[in-house]
Amino acid sequence: MVTLHTTFGDIKLRMFADEAPATVENFLQYCRDGFYNGTLFHRVIDGFMVQGGGMASGMEEKATRAPIKNEADNGLSNLTGRLSMARTMEPHSASSQFFINVNDNLFLDHKAKTPDGWGYCVFAEVVEGMDVVNKIKGVATGNWGYVHQDVPVEEVLINSVTIED
C-alpha cells in the first residue's frame, strides 16, 4: 500500500505488482527516493483523469530516471479509480508521471503492440480517498504559458508519500 498525502487529503493505493511488476517497482522507487514530495497534480480534466508526478511547484519539470517498458498488455483496464503511467506518443516513454482515472477510460487500454494500440499501463488502484480524487478533479483549471493546458489555478500538491508493507 502507498499513501499520497496531498493538500486535499490522503489517497491510499493498492499496487498491482503481479500484473505490472516493472511499473510498480519504478513507481515505488520514485516513492522511496522522495521524488513525489512537493510535486503537483498538474493536469486535471473532470470526466477523464488527474495527472501528477512530474512537476514541482511553479510547473517546474523534474528530472527523471530513464523510461520504462510499457506493461499495458497486462489485462487491466483503465477503470475509475485506477492509476496508469502517463507517457508521450512513444509507447515505452513512461517515467515518473501517472494519472488517476476519474471515469472508465477503456479507450486507453492495450489493444495491440503497435504505436497506436499499446495503451497506458494500469499499475495501481485507489482503495481509500476517492473523495479526495473527486475534489481534485473539480478544481478550476486554466493554461500555463503556451504549452500546458488544464492546469489547476491553485496548486494541488503531493506533500509526501508513505509506503506500507
Side-chain angles (χ1 to χ4, degrees), residues 61-146:
E61 192 168 356
K62 294 185 74 170
T64 63
R65 296 191 310 272
I68 59 172
K69 180 183 177 291
N70 190 331
E71 295 179 305
D73 59 345
N74 61 18
L76 298 173
S77 288
N78 281 276
L79 301 174
T80 303
R82 288 193 171 169
L83 281 75
S84 291
M85 292 304 295
R87 61 174 178 81
T88 67
M89 295 302 289
E90 156 56 38
H92 305 287
S93 60
S95 58
S96 67
Q97 291 190 35
F98 61 89
F99 60 90
I100 305 172
N101 290 286
V102 298
N103 199 8
D104 290 348
N105 294 315
L106 303 183
F107 68 96
L108 298 177
D109 290 353
H110 175 78
K111 291 165 191 56
K113 292 183 179 182
T114 63
D116 292 339
W118 257 106
Y120 293 78
C121 180
V122 175
F123 68 94
E125 69 181 343
V126 176
V127 293
E128 288 178 31
M130 199 60 197
D131 58 325
V132 174
V133 175
N134 287 330
K135 277 196 263 183
I136 295 169
K137 80 173 184 176
V139 301
T141 61
N143 294 335
W144 183 275
Y146 296 106

Side-chain angles (χ1 to χ4, degrees), residues 7-107:
T7 51
F8 278 45
D10 290 350
I11 304 168
K12 192 172 202 173
L13 312 172
R14 179 175 71 89
M15 301 290 110
F16 292 124
D18 291 339
E19 295 84 354
T23 306
V24 167
E25 182 51 39
N26 177 67
F27 180 78
L28 290 175
Q29 189 60 55
Y30 277 112
C31 292
R32 287 190 288 267
D33 292 346
F35 180 89
Y36 294 125
N37 298 348
T39 59
L40 299 168
F41 279 102
H42 67 274
R43 186 169 173 235
V44 173
I45 304 174
D46 192 2
F48 180 37
M49 57 89 219
V50 300
Q51 182 174 335
M55 303 286 191
S57 183
M59 288 296 288
E60 198 163 312
E61 192 168 356
K62 294 185 74 170
T64 63
R65 296 191 310 272
I68 59 172
K69 180 183 177 291
N70 190 331
E71 295 179 305
D73 59 345
N74 61 18
L76 298 173
S77 288
N78 281 276
L79 301 174
T80 303
R82 288 193 171 169
L83 281 75
S84 291
M85 292 304 295
R87 61 174 178 81
T88 67
M89 295 302 289
E90 156 56 38
H92 305 287
S93 60
S95 58
S96 67
Q97 291 190 35
F98 61 89
F99 60 90
I100 305 172
N101 290 286
V102 298
N103 199 8
D104 290 348
N105 294 315
L106 303 183
F107 68 96

